[in-house]
Amino acid sequence: MGKQVPIVDYLVIDDGEPHLAAWESVDSGAIYFDRRNGDAKSGGTEFKRRSLGNTGVLRSFTIVHRTVPGVPAPYVSALVDLDGGGSVKGNLLNVPADPEHVKLGMRVRLTTFPVGADDDGTEAIAFGFEPEGKA
Amino acid sequence: MSTDSGDNVWMLGTHMTKFGRYADTDLMDLASDAAMSALRDGGVTIHDMDILAAGSLFNAQAGVGQQLQKQIGQTGIPVYNVANACATGATAVRTVYMAIKAGEADMGLAVGVEQMGKGGLLGAGGKGDRGRKVYEPSGRYGSVMQVEGLLGTGLMPGVFAQAGMEYAYENDGVGFEQFAKVAEKNHAHSTLNPLAHYQKQFSLDEVMTAEMMSYPNTLLMCCPNTDGSAAAVLVSEQRLRSLSKEQQRRAVKISASVLTSDPWTDRAQVQPDVNTLTRNAADKAYEQSGVDPQDLDLVELHDCFATAELIHYDNLRLCKPGGAGQWIDERGPWRDGQIPVNVSGGLISKGHPIGATGIANLFEVATHLRGEAGDRQIEGAKVGLTHVIGLGSACAVHVLEKSGV
């Protein structure tokens, strides 16, 4: 297998099972996926890396039909409350993109998938979620 | 309700252009029309103005206020060019309001204008492919490519769909049909408003079976990209008392003017929290004005999408907590309901020229309070509220009251 990179740096693919990691404010416990100069909750400036859970609950979603050029549709954009803390946005995969199959409150788990390769052959890996019961 | 303590700020004149598509008109034509008409409406001239605040979000670096002065009068007064997302127009009004409150001005003009054209979907950002493709992490998320559609959506119809579905997750009796009923109402209301971009009625079934944009928002549940301008002349109470009885009669009191930003909440980094800052603004406005939500005769709120309007019923305390679905089912926000909401047709049908929107909703409420709204008049309207929210986020709420003169 060639080289792989995560699509964003809060997806960890080189340390055991793929998972999400965030910056946790030492002061307030607030977590951030992006680099912050200070904690928007407390004003503190000290952060530590924290791994997040791989399962959670579908808190909200939309089924995107009309989008920008190059994005296949329809697809499900999902907001997931992760077990153990943290909320994240990602696509809901391996389920038909219709309101009969996508249900608020359903249990989901993290999954990863390749989204392309660059001219050096490096493969980018993205994350999404799928219903917890899926094999 | 608030007493006339003598330091209130009043709306003396106001105007909005018809909203629509103006391919053969430029930004200054629209802004000049709104500004000059608002001055005329107030019975004053540009020479009476002590301050000008102007907003046009897509022209935030263009000095729109000074450009406008070249068309309507270069009098040397201070100009504030403001940009505050979809709250840009309301922020211009509040800039003039604060100058009068501070005693630096007796009278001022606020103008909002936007030419959206056929702008397409707003909210897509990120990286384009240029030349040789090499994945290099960049930016604060260390992303190697544009993530729209790969890690969920940041496009506006989807963001506000998700905001609505969060409300559905937390509250019973809210679903696709309740959201669609909002659009059914606003399209129906717009048929009475000649200033609306669209004035066409649609059945609930037509709303629900229209092209799906981002479930549960169909095309008829999304605001269109619209061109237009709106303006307001504000005056101190002391100065107003020196004007004619007719000017005093038509003036509208600004009983509350509030601007908030989004305080930290735990999920807002992935899904903008449009609720907390709206609730904070509304609560402060009710406190400032002494007006109770149940006193309101009409509300113009920020229905950029039908899902947004529904949740703001709750955020603005128009319905009982958690009861927005039931409230639309009971036709509470229809023009003949408990508290009429968006009798102008709202952003969904009237249109949403971003810089103008926050002044146009003040124009709408003021026009009803003056009893000048024609076919769409809410009879006997004495108190109204306006609300806008822009992502980022900024929220403005104003409470307006009819003159006692």
Side-chain angles (χ1 to χ4, degrees), chain A residues 53-59 80-84 92-93 95 101-110 129-134, chain B residues 169:
Chain A
N54 274 358
T55 55
V57 171
L58 182 67
R59 174 179 174 79
V80 175
D81 280 351
L82 296 170
D83 296 337
L92 187 65
L93 309 166
V95 62
H101 291 87
V102 182
K103 296 293 180 192
L104 291 169
M106 70 196 283
R107 299 276 315 162
V108 297
R109 72 173 177 210
L110 190 85
F129 292 87
E130 63 183 2
E132 209 170 43
K134 288 273 175 184
Chain B
Y169 177 59

Side-chain angles (χ1 to χ4, degrees), chain B residues 32-50:
Chain B
S32 301
D33 180 5
M36 290 194 279
S37 300
L39 290 166
R40 199 159 45 242
D41 179 61
V44 290
T45 76
I46 191 67
H47 299 281
D48 296 305
M49 299 300 112
D50 302 317

Side-chain angles (χ1 to χ4, degrees), chain A residues 59-60 62 77 91 119-120, chain B residues 132 149 152 162 166 170 215:
Chain A
R59 174 179 174 79
S60 184
T62 181
S77 170
N91 288 4
D119 291 342
D120 295 334
Chain B
R132 184 177 151 77
Q162 286 168 171
E166 261 194 310
E170 291 176 333
Y215 178 89

Side-chain angles (χ1 to χ4, degrees), chain B residues 360-403:
Chain B
N361 63 16
L362 287 161
F363 163 87
E364 181 68 19
V365 170
T367 302
H368 287 268
L369 300 181
R370 289 165 154 186
E372 298 173 358
D375 290 344
R376 69 184 187 285
Q377 177 69 39
I378 297 297
E379 287 306 323
K382 291 188 172 60
V383 191
L385 179 145
T386 65
H387 159 259
V388 284
I389 183 171
L391 286 190
S393 295
C395 175
V397 170
H398 286 87
V399 175
L400 302 181
E401 290 185 72
K402 183 183 173 68
S403 166

